[in-house]
Amino acid sequence: MSLAIRSAREIVGELTDRRLSAETLLRMTLDRIAEVNPSVNAIVGMADEGDLLAEARACDQSALRGPLHGLPIAVKDLVNVKGLKSTRGSPIFADFVPETDDLIAARLRAAGAILIGKTNTPEFGLGSHTFNPVYGATRNPYDPSRTCGGSSGGAAVALATGMLALADGSDMMGSLRNPAAWGNVYGFRPSWGRVPSEPVGDTFLHQLSTLGPMARSPDDLALLLDVISGPDPRQPHARDAEKVGAVMAGDLTGKRIGWLGDWGGAYPMEAGLLDQCVHAVDVLADLGCILEEVEPPFPAEALWESWTTLRSWSVAASLDPLAAHKDSLKDTAIWEMERGQSFSALDVHAASVIRSEWFTCAARLFDRYDALVLPATQVWPFDVALDYPTTISGHALDTYHRWMEVVIPVSLIGLPCLAAPAGFSQTGLPAGIQIFGPRGSDADLLGLGAAYHEATRWPQLRPAFPQQEAVT
C-alpha cells in the first residue's frame, strides 16, 4: 500500500517491531518530498539530509524512545524547533534559528519523532490562506491553482500528498479545520487546555487558540493527540485528561446529532457547498444517528462582535513585542494590532460576557445533542493569487477573515472539534465538516469520527497527486 495513504499507527507499528527501519522510512520520505513538494511548497526549512540520516540510523540502533520512534515529522513554522530555521512566515525572523524547542516540539522529540523541517504557514498565522514573503504560497494538491487554506496549510498538504503521516497544527479561527477540509484530511481542535501552549508571556487571559493534531484518519489523530496532550506545571489552565488510545468505529445507533447548517442564513455559502456538507451529515444518519436540524441557538452577530474583539485583543498582545518592526508587518497584522490596541478593558469584558452567555447556551444544547455539526468553510478553495475573498455569493465581506465566520461558535468557547472530509465538488474540489461537542468530549468525538471514517475513507479513496511506491 502506498505510503501516501497508509495509517501512521501501522507505520509506527512496523518501526516498533523493526520490520521497517527508520533509515528506510526517512529515505522514502525524503524521496517523496523531492518528488511532490516542488509542486505544492508545503514543507520548508528542511534540516540537513546527512544529519537526518544519522539520526534515523541512531533510532535503528537504540531502544524505543516513545510511541513515534523513528517517524519523520515536519513541525508548523509557528513553532520554534532547536536547530531549524523558524520564521513564522515573517521577514523579521527569516534567519532565526532557535536554541531550544517549544513545548510541542520537545514532546514530539521525546516521543521519538525525527523533526525533519517545517510546514508552511501564513505570516504569523494570520489568514486562512498559506502564503508569506519568506517561502511563498502553498498550493492545493487537488488543484494547484487554488489555495490550500491555513494557517496549517503546509501541514494539511504534506498529509494529503503522503509527505508526512502525521502533522501538528494550531487553530484559532479554523487554522487546522479549514486546511483539513481543503486537503481532504482530518484535523482535531482539542478541548481548550488539553494541549498546553508555550508557557511564555501571559498564560491566564487568552483562551482562543490551541495546538492540535492532523492526520488521514481519526485513529491517527488520537495517536498524535496522546503525545502532545497533558498538563504542564507552568500553565495554569492546562487540562489533565486520560489518554485516548486507539479509536475504532463503534455503533452510533441512537447518537443525537444536531445539524446547524448555515446558522439560519447568517453564514453565506458558495453554491453547492452546503449541499455537499448535507451529504456528509447524511452518512451519520445512515450509521444510526438521530439527526435533527437545529435553529440558530444564539445571535450570529453577537458571536462575531465578541470574537473579533477578543481575537484582535489577543493578536495585538502577541504582536506587541514587534511594534518597532511595524513597517515590516503585513496589512492584516497591522489592522489587528491597531484594532486590539483601541479597546478599553471594559470593551474586552463586554466581549467576554457574550462569550460566557454563548457557553451557557451551548451547554444546554449538549443536554439534547451528543454532537453538533457545521460546515468547515463557507467557500470552496479560491485562487491562490487572491489574498482573501471579499464576497460570498454576492454578499460583501467587511474584514479579511469574515469568510471563515462559520468556525467561531467552536473557537469562542474552546470546544473540541473534529474537522472531517466531506467529499468533493463536481469539479474535484474538497469540502469538510466540523463535528463538535462539549468540553472534555474529545475521545467521544474521535470515536464518532472513526465510524464516519470507516463509512467514507475519503483520504484513502481520493489521495492527492502523485501516487508513490509502496512501503516494503
Side-chain angles (χ1 to χ4, degrees), residues 36-272:
V36 176
N37 202 51
S39 300
V40 292
N41 191 38
I43 296 182
V44 296
M46 288 286 292
D48 177 77
E49 181 174 334
D51 292 342
L52 291 175
L53 289 169
E55 186 175 353
R57 286 190 285 268
C59 284
D60 289 329
Q61 296 165 10
S62 69
L64 296 177
R65 297 207 314 271
L68 303 182
H69 184 87
L71 186 73
I73 291 183
V75 182
K76 187 173 178 178
D77 200 26
L78 298 182
V79 175
N80 286 343
V81 176
K82 180 181 179 180
L84 290 182
K85 190 180 291 186
S86 299
T87 75
R88 301 169 69 185
S90 168
I92 299 171
F93 298 101
D95 298 313
F96 174 57
V97 179
E99 297 181 358
T100 58
D101 285 332
D102 279 356
L103 179 59
I104 188 173
R107 289 186 171 185
L108 291 171
R109 283 196 205 274
I114 299 174
L115 306 188
I116 64 172
K118 310 301 286 292
T119 54
N120 204 21
T121 183
E123 188 174 352
F124 301 114
L126 296 176
S128 292
H129 175 18
T130 299
F131 71 99
N132 63 68
V134 179
Y135 292 118
T138 300
R139 296 175 176 270
N140 193 300
Y142 291 93
D143 182 348
S145 72
R146 296 176 183 262
T147 178
C148 63
S151 64
S152 306
V157 173
L159 289 167
T161 55
M163 292 188 280
L164 299 176
L166 292 175
D168 68 296
S170 59
D171 191 292
M172 179 184 265
M173 195 174 176
S175 282
L176 62 71
R177 288 168 281 166
N178 158 272
W182 287 349
N184 186 40
V185 297
Y186 289 87
F188 190 71
R189 180 189 165 103
S191 294
W192 192 84
R194 184 186 183 110
V195 179
S197 58
E198 190 62 14
V200 296
D202 174 75
T203 56
F204 278 87
L205 292 175
H206 303 287
Q207 300 188 28
L208 302 183
S209 183
T210 182
L211 303 166
M214 302 182 72
R216 292 188 292 268
S217 73
D219 185 42
D220 284 351
L221 290 175
L223 172 63
L224 185 53
L225 181 64
D226 282 345
V227 167
I228 62 177
S229 292
D232 181 279
R234 300 165 293 178
Q235 287 280 27
H237 300 304
R239 297 170 64 94
D240 195 358
E242 291 185 7
K243 297 284 188 183
V244 175
V247 295
M248 294 175 288
D251 184 5
L252 300 187
T253 302
K255 290 286 186 183
R256 301 162 302 171
I257 306 297
W259 167 236
L260 288 160
D262 60 2
W263 209 272
Y267 302 147
M269 300 276 169
E270 280 194 337

Side-chain angles (χ1 to χ4, degrees), residues 181 184-185 273 276-281 420-425 430-433 452 458:
N184 186 40
V185 297
L273 188 55
Q276 187 65 45
C277 293
V278 168
H279 293 323
V281 175
F424 292 77
S425 71
I433 54 174
Y452 174 85
W458 281 115

Side-chain angles (χ1 to χ4, degrees), residues 285-454:
D286 293 341
L287 292 171
C289 293
I290 300 170
L291 186 65
E292 295 182 13
E293 293 189 12
V294 181
E295 293 297 315
F298 201 84
E301 198 58 34
L303 295 176
W304 180 250
E305 178 184 346
S306 174
W307 174 258
T308 52
T309 296
L310 294 171
R311 174 184 164 91
S312 291
W313 177 57
S314 179
V315 172
S318 68
L319 293 179
D320 185 66
L322 302 178
H325 302 278
K326 188 174 180 179
D327 291 343
S328 299
L329 302 178
K330 66 178 183 178
D331 291 346
T332 49
I334 295 171
W335 180 83
E336 294 278 19
M337 178 184 285
E338 292 179 345
R339 192 169 184 274
Q341 291 169 342
S342 73
F343 296 132
S344 70
L346 287 178
D347 290 333
V348 174
H349 172 77
S352 196
V353 168
I354 296 172
R355 168 170 57 180
S356 302
E357 292 169 347
W358 165 228
F359 188 91
T360 300
C361 176
R364 290 195 297 267
L365 279 174
F366 292 124
D367 286 338
R368 179 177 178 86
Y369 300 106
D370 295 294
L372 299 170
V373 186
L374 279 167
T377 68
Q378 294 168 240
V379 298
W380 298 100
F382 53 84
D383 191 324
V384 73
L386 184 69
D387 284 358
Y388 51 85
T390 56
T391 62
I392 299 178
S393 300
H395 295 265
L397 306 178
D398 54 0
T399 72
Y400 77 100
H401 51 12
R402 188 103 186 200
W403 59 278
M404 282 298 296
E405 188 176 4
V406 73
V407 302
I408 67 170
V410 168
S411 296
L412 187 60
I413 53 176
L415 301 180
C417 182
L418 174 69
F424 292 77
S425 71
Q426 293 182 347
T427 58
L429 296 176
I433 54 174
Q434 307 173 75
I435 307 172
F436 59 102
R439 284 202 188 189
S441 64
D442 305 56
D444 291 339
L445 289 173
L446 289 170
L448 189 155
Y452 174 85
H453 178 66
E454 284 303 307

